[in-house]
Amino acid sequence: MSEVSIADYGLLSDCASAALVSRDGSVDWWCPGRFDSPSVFGRLVDADAGHWALGPAATESGRRSERAYVDGSLVLRTVHHTDGGSVAVTEALAAEPGARGHELGRNSPTVLARVVEGLTGTVRMRCDFVPRPEYGLLTPYLHRDGDGLLAAAGPVTLTLRGPVPLECAHGGAYGEFDVAAGQVVGFDLAYAPAYGPPPQRLDPVPVLADTVEAWRAIREVHRYNGRYPDLVRQSALVLQALTYQPSGAVVAAVTTSLPERVGGTRNYDYRYAWLRDFFLTIRAFWVGACPDETGRLFDWAARSAGRTGGRAVPIMYGVTGERDLSEYSLDHLHGYAGSRPVRVGNDAWRQLQHDVPGEVLLCAQLIRDSLGDLSEELQALLIELADQATHWREPDAGMWEERGPGQHYLASKALCWGALDCAVQLAPMLGTRADHERWAAVRDEIRVTVLRDGWNERVGAYTGVIGSPELDASVLVLPFTGMVAATDPRMRATIEAIASRLTTEGLVRRWPDDPVGFVACTFWLVECLVMAGETERAVALFERTAARANDLGLFAEQIDPRTGAHLGNTPLALSHVGLIGAAWRLTKPSFI
């Protein structure tokens, strides 16, 4: 059972893999090589699944800490204060030496660098190195390797180097050392597959400085000229950190199985890329990051989808386009705060979600000017997606991916409308197979049905499922598609119903019996309020929501409105996408 709150974790990324480090200096999650690789440190989901702690020893009294990212990078610096003095621990997943901008992550060295610097007095430090590869299933053999320590188990080789002697016992290495003011102690932990070249060796002090420059180069190309620039640029940096740079795919989060509700079972693996979030993510990159990233992400989606053969396009993929993401449980793990099961893979890949064609076609419409002449393959994909949207009358799983019988979700049907509306506009670019007359006829039929049958007179709002009396925050996306204006009386009434009946302490819940707020939905409400002309209310809600990020500007999936605790997988791309979209909506209310 983890005793560390989700919001206490900081993110480290090399744009290929990620690690989470707690405020007190313990790396409790690292999946080296790829975001979805097995962890070598997994204490986040089980006390015995491995960690690397580096912080003041238990004998140090008066401990407190403060932390921040260095100079607009994802290099983390934590200052620990004790009664005896203070030290700074600076750490990062290393950039390839000399990499700048979007080169970061193309050839990641897969090295975790950590440097301790004495600031005042003398502080007793402790290092606990407890690797447990394969999600804690393996306890490695530890061997001396020159001035380093080699941990080998199964498919994994880890080499830890540093000047501090560590005592090996029970598959771990432990030691304490003093750091005086002005003294610098560096560690580098390098990963490599067991049967390949040995792990790289990097000097941790210069590599941290170089990694700062690599991240700063990324941030410098993030051109944003709108309201809340510091918040937007930080969220854009998080999206970059969640990008698997070799392919351009953006993972939903870097974690698996962090619960929506502590002790609950809705614990899923989010280390994959969803087309469900595609349009909003592309829009966020377009607004707050580098436009080049929109093209790379679109190309990744097109290549991953491939030829559909008449089948529905899958809703999600692995970072290099894998389709089969079959799910299984790691029954040996106790889960975060006892929340089981811990899952690898995600069976949502099997679901039918009618929003997917809309997500991709809305993107194509958004960036059409940069697409140039469409290849035959891309033309075929967009036509197939438009044809898929004509099956809008079939039930689906909805954007919340309910694992039961399909239903007639209003947001899914609205996004089918969006798919066909964009297809009609793109038809001149799609060649002779574009059936724009049929698409236009079905589009118009969808709009009539959604606006007529989606409205629940007794509830006084559009509801989540046609014929259902239950409010659902997913209908906030209707104005984003262009199908209905936020100022339309019925849409305006829906916005007010969600603001009054699904909002608790300024956080929007997805449905009435959902006990916690969903960060992205709260930012969607901000956008809808702006579009409805309620700018003052929107500003207040935006600023209140933005203030709920942790001290490093990170959002998990959800927030408990009673306690402020972050819940769900973290950091969640969709939460940061929501912030960027809301900030730009407050800047430019009329944007798509």
Side-chain angles (χ1 to χ4, degrees), residues 156-180:
V156 171
T157 299
L158 295 169
T159 302
L160 175 64
R161 296 184 179 92
V164 176
L166 302 176
E167 181 177 346
C168 297
H170 311 297
Y174 311 87
E176 294 189 358
F177 57 99
D178 291 326
V179 178

Side-chain angles (χ1 to χ4, degrees), residues 497-570:
I498 290 172
S500 62
R501 295 181 234 166
L502 284 187
T503 303
T504 303
E505 297 294 330
L507 290 165
V508 176
R509 295 171 290 119
R510 287 174 292 178
W511 49 75
D513 62 353
D514 190 351
V516 296
F518 198 83
V519 175
C521 289
T522 307
F523 285 124
W524 295 351
L525 179 57
V526 171
E527 290 202 54
C528 286
L529 288 171
V530 175
M531 289 187 283
E534 295 281 353
T535 304
E536 187 173 333
R537 287 174 63 192
V539 167
L541 181 58
F542 177 89
E543 292 181 353
R544 183 176 184 180
T545 308
R548 293 180 182 272
N550 77 355
D551 57 318
L552 297 173
L554 304 178
F555 280 108
E557 181 181 21
Q558 298 175 88
I559 297 175
D560 188 321
R562 297 173 296 104
T563 65
H566 287 210
L567 293 166
N569 286 300
T570 193

Side-chain angles (χ1 to χ4, degrees), residues 2 40 97 117 137 143 199 264 297 301 348 371 404 459 495 512-513 560 576:
S2 176
V40 296
E117 177 188 1
L137 283 173
H143 306 283
L297 182 54
L371 290 176
V459 178
I495 294 168
D513 62 353
D560 188 321
H576 291 274

Side-chain angles (χ1 to χ4, degrees), residues 350-367:
R350 305 176 190 273
Q351 291 184 344
L352 173 65
Q353 290 183 22
H354 284 314
D355 61 313
V356 168
E359 296 278 3
V360 179
L361 279 156
L362 280 163
C363 288
Q365 173 68 4
L366 177 64
I367 65 173

Side-chain angles (χ1 to χ4, degrees), residues 286 294 363-374 426 429:
W286 189 262
T294 64
C363 288
Q365 173 68 4
L366 177 64
I367 65 173
R368 62 183 297 173
D369 292 341
S370 64
L371 290 176
D373 294 332
L374 302 184
L426 292 168
M429 303 172 64

